[in-house]
């Protein structure tokens, strides 16, 4: 693993690291914030999954999460959103290909050789960070924004026992019924809609429910609101009678101004579960 950078940050260290990935078949870059407590003992970790067009850097720089994570003694992981490089398939559209991995394992060409972001985020990167850094493997939570919110919700509902809590900012809630989802799931997983269901938070909620704390924030002025379909997730939560805090934030859009406004709430929400 190569150290790209390490900077002192709120008493801890914000690092950026690159490593060869078996899951994606190339080099991957991620950000990791370690609070000061990690110098003495393993600390709990909060995963932050980013959205379309983003890399590991967007939330790391714009969300302002490190201040609140340092206050709570929590590590933050910022994975990339897709494999990258000259040998990796791409598309001219911003919502497919590099920067748009959708946190699935692609089965269709030309994506299948590298686009295995589910395996990367669910298996490979957790093993790496818990093996090489002072991270408590037994205390993990997950959050994300937009496409990353979709990833956070589907991972949490598909890996029972892995995370202690899950939250999301303006997540893609029902991708099998949205143009932010149907296009990408068809490209990565093929034409059979049955293969898509495992990556739809609304369908997973209807089928399995959720047994860990859930917080979702959605701006009412989000320019992509019709594509995100938060009402579908809310209906599924109510149908399963799952305790959840689903909040509509008046006047907020889809940007990191929205995320940074409410990131303190999310970090504190996860800290309560991680230190329970």
């Amino acid at each position: 693993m190569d150290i790209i950078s390490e900077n002192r940050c709120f008493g801890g260290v914000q690092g950026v690291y690159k490593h060869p990935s078996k899951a994606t078949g190339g080099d991957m870059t991620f950000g990791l914030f370690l609070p000061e407590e990690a110098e003495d003992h393993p600390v709990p970790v909060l995963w932050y999954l980013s959205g379309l067009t983003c890399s590991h850097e967007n939330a790391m720089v714009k969300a302002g999460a490190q201040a609140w994570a340092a206050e709570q003694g929590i590590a933050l992981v910022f994975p990339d959103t897709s494999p990258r490089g000259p040998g990796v398939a791409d598309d001219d559209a911003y919502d497919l290909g590099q920067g748009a991995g959708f946190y699935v394992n692609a089965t269709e060409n030309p994506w299948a050789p590298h686009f295995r972001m589910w395996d990367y985020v669910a298996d490979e990167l957790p093993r790496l960070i818990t093996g090489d850094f002072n991270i408590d493997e037994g205390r993990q939570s997950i959050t994300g924004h937009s496409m990353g919110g979709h990833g956070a919700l589907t991972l949490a509902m598909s890996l029972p026992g892995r995370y202690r809590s899950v939250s999301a900012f303006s997540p893609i809630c029902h991708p099998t019924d949205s143009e932010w989802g149907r296009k990408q799931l068809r490209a990565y997983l093929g034409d059979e809609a049955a293969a898509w269901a495992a990556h739809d938070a609304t369908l997973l909620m209807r089928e399995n429910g959720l047994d860990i704390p859930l917080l979702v924030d959605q701006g009412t002025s989000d320019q992509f609101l019709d594509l995100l379909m938060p009402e579908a997730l809310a209906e599924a939560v109510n149908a399963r009678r799952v305790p959840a805090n689903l909040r509509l934030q008046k006047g907020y859009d889809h940007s990191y101004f929205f995320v940074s406004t409410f990131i303190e709430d999310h970090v504190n929400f996860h800290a309560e579960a991680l230190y329970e």
Side-chain angles (χ1 to χ4, degrees), residues 126-149:
R127 286 198 305 270
L128 180 67
I129 67 159
T130 57
D132 286 21
F133 300 94
N134 215 1
I135 300 292
D136 185 345
E137 183 179 4
R139 289 189 292 165
Q140 302 185 50
S141 290
I142 191 166
T143 188
H145 173 232
S146 194
M147 178 185 73

Side-chain angles (χ1 to χ4, degrees), residues 22 97 243 273:
K22 290 183 179 179

Side-chain angles (χ1 to χ4, degrees), residues 61-97:
V61 173
K62 295 180 179 180
Q66 292 91 338
W68 311 115
E71 190 172 283
Q72 298 287 356
I74 293 172
L76 299 168
V77 184
F78 304 99
D80 203 347
T81 56
S82 80
R84 299 179 190 271
V88 177
D90 201 6
D91 190 90
D92 291 338
Y94 75 93
D95 58 353
L96 188 67

Side-chain angles (χ1 to χ4, degrees), residues 21-70:
S21 166
K22 290 183 179 179
T24 65
D27 287 343
M28 295 293 292
T29 302
F30 67 94
L32 173 66
F33 170 73
L34 288 172
E36 189 172 12
E37 289 85 345
E39 296 174 9
D40 300 317
H41 56 78
V43 295
V45 62
L46 174 60
W47 293 80
Y48 185 105
L49 305 185
S50 288
L52 291 168
T53 76
C54 293
S55 70
H56 69 281
E57 191 172 31
N58 296 72
M60 187 181 79
V61 173
K62 295 180 179 180
Q66 292 91 338
W68 311 115

Side-chain angles (χ1 to χ4, degrees), residues 176 189-199 203:
T176 63
L189 302 178
D191 291 332
E192 293 296 326
W196 307 351
H199 300 285
L203 298 183

Side-chain angles (χ1 to χ4, degrees), residues 98-119:
Q98 295 188 35
F102 251 75
Y103 304 101
V104 303
N105 287 337
T107 58
E108 303 297 302
N109 288 323
W111 315 106
H114 299 286
F115 280 71
R116 303 190 63 81
M117 289 302 295
W118 181 277
D119 283 353

